[in-house]
Amino acid sequence: MGATSYLKRDLVAVLYSDHHGWLLGWLRKKLGCSQRAADMAHDTFVRVLTSSSDLQGVREPRAFLTTIAGRLIIDDARRKKVEQAYLETWMALYGDCASAPSSEELVTVVELLTEVAGWLESLPEKPRQAFIMSRLDGLSHAEIGERLGVSVSMVKKYVAQALLHCLALNETD
């Protein structure tokens, strides 16, 4: 382990000992559940430890921790929303006659869908809308153009932009 790794570990240890209790209380109030708060506090410090952030430059540790924890809360809410939508779609398609997906299948699908949702959310509004209307709603380029108030050629550019954007993000993962 290099000197910078030891330094980072020591800085995280100090950050943890000085602010873990406070963060846990903040998360408890925010989430209304002590178990979820404990999990989220743990995940926050794991994120700090594995991040490339320069901890020596952190001047407001509580703001730093709440920013990370807040992002984790948003990610968790997004994941739960995707999971719920997947289960609702599963039931709509297969009803009670098909066995529900296994926990492993559910985790795999939700992780993939969450990643794709994140890619789409990072797109500008019109390319995202055009892509969703094209791929998920099955609308023609002309119908999308009407709804977005743009030409068919612009819709084609938006859809291509979205595909290239997702491809580029996928290659960086």
Side-chain angles (χ1 to χ4, degrees):
M1 191 182 271
T4 54
S5 296
Y6 284 119
L7 176 62
K8 183 167 189 169
R9 189 191 67 203
D10 292 345
L11 290 170
V12 172
V14 169
L15 190 65
Y16 184 90
S17 66
D18 289 353
H19 302 286
H20 178 264
W22 173 85
L23 179 64
L24 191 57
W26 183 84
L27 285 164
R28 231 184 267 120
K29 288 178 190 169
K30 195 96 168 145
L31 300 171
C33 174
S34 58
Q35 289 86 8
R36 282 191 65 220
D39 288 345
M40 203 62 68
H42 174 267
D43 291 348
T44 299
F45 282 100
V46 168
R47 181 76 52 99
V48 169
L49 194 55
T50 60
S51 76
S52 59
S53 297
D54 175 21
L55 297 179
Q56 290 179 308
V58 173
R59 299 288 171 242
E60 298 292 331
R62 290 183 177 183
F64 176 69
L65 292 171
T66 55
T67 298
I68 293 170
R71 289 179 182 153
L72 289 171
I73 291 169
I74 291 168
D75 289 348
D76 186 57
R78 183 181 299 130
R79 187 195 58 75
K80 286 181 179 176
K81 188 176 178 182
V82 168
E83 182 178 328
Q84 185 61 38
Y86 175 73
L87 290 172
E88 287 172 6
T89 302
W90 178 274
M91 287 304 292
L93 290 172
Y94 303 110
D96 292 332
C97 56
S99 62
S102 69
S103 297
E104 294 82 14
E105 291 171 325
L106 184 60
V107 166
T108 301
V109 168
V110 168
E111 284 176 355
L112 178 62
L113 291 173
T114 302
E115 187 174 6
V116 170
W119 293 346
L120 293 175
E121 286 177 9
S122 65
L123 276 168
E125 183 66 23
K126 285 195 176 181
R128 178 176 59 243
Q129 287 178 336
F131 181 80
I132 289 171
M133 285 186 229
S134 171
R135 300 296 187 214
L136 299 180
D137 299 336
L139 298 179
S140 70
H141 289 157
E143 291 170 318
I144 296 167
E146 272 183 44
R147 291 188 183 186
L148 294 180
V150 298
S151 67
V152 170
S153 63
M154 197 67 217
V155 171
K156 289 178 183 178
K157 287 180 185 176
Y158 285 155
V159 172
Q161 179 186 355
L163 288 169
L164 290 172
H165 176 75
C166 290
L167 179 63
L169 289 174
N170 185 43
E171 289 175 353
T172 62
D173 286 349

